[in-house]
Amino acid sequence: MKSGRQVKSPTALDAIGITPIVQLHKIVPEGSADIFVKLEYFNPTGSYKDRMALSMIEEAEKRGTLRSGMTVVEYTGGSTGSSLAFVCAVKGYRLVLISSDAFAIEKLKTMKAFGAELIIVPSVGGKTTPDLIPRMMEKAKSLADNDDCYFTNQIHNSDIIVGHRNIGKELLKQIDRPIDAFCGGVGTAGMLMGVSLELRQVYPNVKIVALEPASSAVISGGSPGSHDVEGIGIGAVPPLLDERLYDEARGIDENEARQRVRLLAKEEGIFAGTSSGLNVVGALQLAKELGEGKTVVTVAVDTGLKYLASDLYPV
Ligand SMILES: Cc1ncc(COP(=O)(O)O)c(C=O)c1O
């Protein structure tokens, strides 16, 4: 080694983060605020979940609660599962994932491609009904009740916020003007909480808006219902959602989200999944409300490639 300094050789895990940011140019009506979208599908598995999968594993390693030879267990709609499978493949952990046929087949296949063992909990009609996540959670808990297992338990695990704070840190470097509002769909709430913690340090008055499917707008005070937006709207207020870290929750029409995300591909060249469409609908609403001269930011959560087997992008 030339310098004599110990340099860590990079792995695929080093490809996580530092994703690009783009401004929307065509779909924002005149008189609205500017909208910036962070393209999180540039992460290795095509989703921002890579960030939290890495922090869940590495924070547990630091504490010594996850050690070499142990099995990692999680229940997942498929995005966290794909990211955990990727991280566990590189780090050499056995991974058992509880998922469901309600979620994209591409995600189920991705988890297996990275070597995870998959247990499928059957859904009702392929939808995220209010009972689905609790049933998956119960199955995961029963498996993880074993000394050799580490249950990442994403919904209750504040380690996820550590990884997502990096989205906020990167936004502050990438956007060289004040950020007036940020919005994002809420599943675990890890992303929204992580970004809020960072943005509020620099812009204490930034408006943080939690988005959820209108048909299951539980955070906004509605009743749990079924919907077809993978990864968000878990049918309950997620435990990590801290009231002090967001200003408002909004239900967004999922059909509008799907139309928007198709337009996003055609007009702006951003090819993303359904929850990203929801994020852009939220950002467009905020941009209209705040008006010209203001700045609204959101994220493209994951790649449209994960949804090609569904009817999100029809032939
Ligand atoms: C596709 C998709 N969008 C949005 C979210 C919501 O992110 P968070 O869990 O950080 O609230 C998830 C979470 O699983 C997801 O899979």
Side-chain angles (χ1 to χ4, degrees):
M1 200 178 304
K2 279 183 199 155
S3 65
R5 192 163 59 90
Q6 203 68 33
V7 178
K8 182 180 145 261
S9 65
T11 70
L13 299 180
D14 293 293
I16 297 174
I18 328 227
T19 53
I21 185 111
V22 294
Q23 185 176 346
L24 300 187
H25 291 285
K26 295 192 192 156
I27 68 165
V28 185
E30 249 177 70
S32 288
D34 291 336
I35 300 179
F36 288 84
V37 181
K38 192 155 168 65
L39 305 184
E40 283 294 299
Y41 53 73
F42 275 83
N43 283 299
T45 74
S47 160
Y48 66 42
K49 291 281 173 174
D50 291 349
R51 298 178 185 264
M52 59 77 98
L54 185 65
S55 63
M56 284 200 295
I57 295 298
E58 293 199 331
E59 293 302 303
E61 286 176 338
K62 279 185 214 159
R63 279 193 300 271
T65 41
L66 172 60
R67 299 171 300 278
S68 169
M70 287 175 77
T71 297
V72 176
V73 176
E74 182 58 289
Y75 60 96
T76 167
S79 297
T80 299
S82 301
S83 299
L84 261 180
F86 159 63
V87 172
C88 287
V90 178
K91 285 184 174 271
Y93 292 109
R94 178 176 172 233
L95 173 66
V96 178
L97 293 169
I98 292 80
S99 193
S100 170
D101 57 2
F103 308 117
I105 185 75
E106 292 91 330
K107 294 180 187 172
L108 304 181
K109 284 185 169 180
T110 305
M111 296 189 257
K112 289 204 95 163
F114 284 117
E117 293 160 47
L118 215 56
I119 296 172
I120 298 293
V121 173
S123 68
V124 180
K127 286 197 180 286
T128 306
T129 47
D131 65 308
L132 180 65
I133 307 290
R135 282 195 288 131
M136 287 163 55
M137 197 188 297
E138 272 318 302
K139 181 76 189 165
K141 267 193 201 152
S142 68
L143 282 174
D145 193 15
N146 175 334
D147 283 350
D148 292 334
C149 287
Y150 180 73
F151 182 20
T152 41
N153 200 1
Q154 56 171 329
I155 295 275
H156 292 277
N157 189 343
S158 57
D159 292 342
I160 71 177
I161 296 173
V162 176
H164 285 308
R165 285 186 86 133
N166 292 327
I167 299 180
K169 287 181 188 155
E170 291 167 26
L171 285 173
L172 290 168
K173 284 192 194 138
Q174 289 170 317
I175 300 176
D176 58 356
R177 50 162 129 157
I179 298 171
D180 299 292
F182 178 86
C183 63
V186 166
T188 62
M191 189 282 291
L192 197 74
M193 298 295 95
V195 172
S196 175
L197 279 167
E198 290 300 325
L199 297 191
R200 287 242 168 118
Q201 282 185 25
V202 178
Y203 306 119
N205 297 323
V206 58
K207 184 175 172 126
I208 306 287
V209 179
L211 307 175
E212 53 185 349
S215 63
S216 188
V218 177
I219 305 166
S220 318
S223 309
S226 68
H227 65 86
D228 222 352
V229 190
E230 291 185 28
I232 67 169
I234 61 168
V237 177
L240 295 177
L241 186 71
D242 181 340
E243 279 188 358
R244 293 164 299 183
L245 292 178
Y246 73 101
D247 299 288
E248 192 195 317
R250 287 188 188 191
I252 303 283
D253 179 74
E254 62 177 285
N255 288 325
E256 193 183 345
R258 273 187 277 277
Q259 281 165 15
R260 228 12 115 185
V261 81
R262 289 176 193 134
L263 206 64
L264 207 58
K266 288 196 178 107
E267 299 286 329
E268 306 275 359
I270 295 174
F271 185 44
T274 322
S275 66
S276 305
L278 210 99
N279 287 356
V280 169
V281 173
L284 284 162
Q285 288 181 2
L286 287 166
K288 194 172 171 200
E289 287 156 22
L290 295 179
E292 222 162 280
K294 301 286 184 185
T295 300
V296 176
V297 182
T298 192
V299 295
V301 179
D302 62 2
T303 170
L305 291 172
K306 288 187 187 240
Y307 303 87
L308 286 182
S310 75
D311 56 4
L312 181 59
Y313 293 105
V315 264

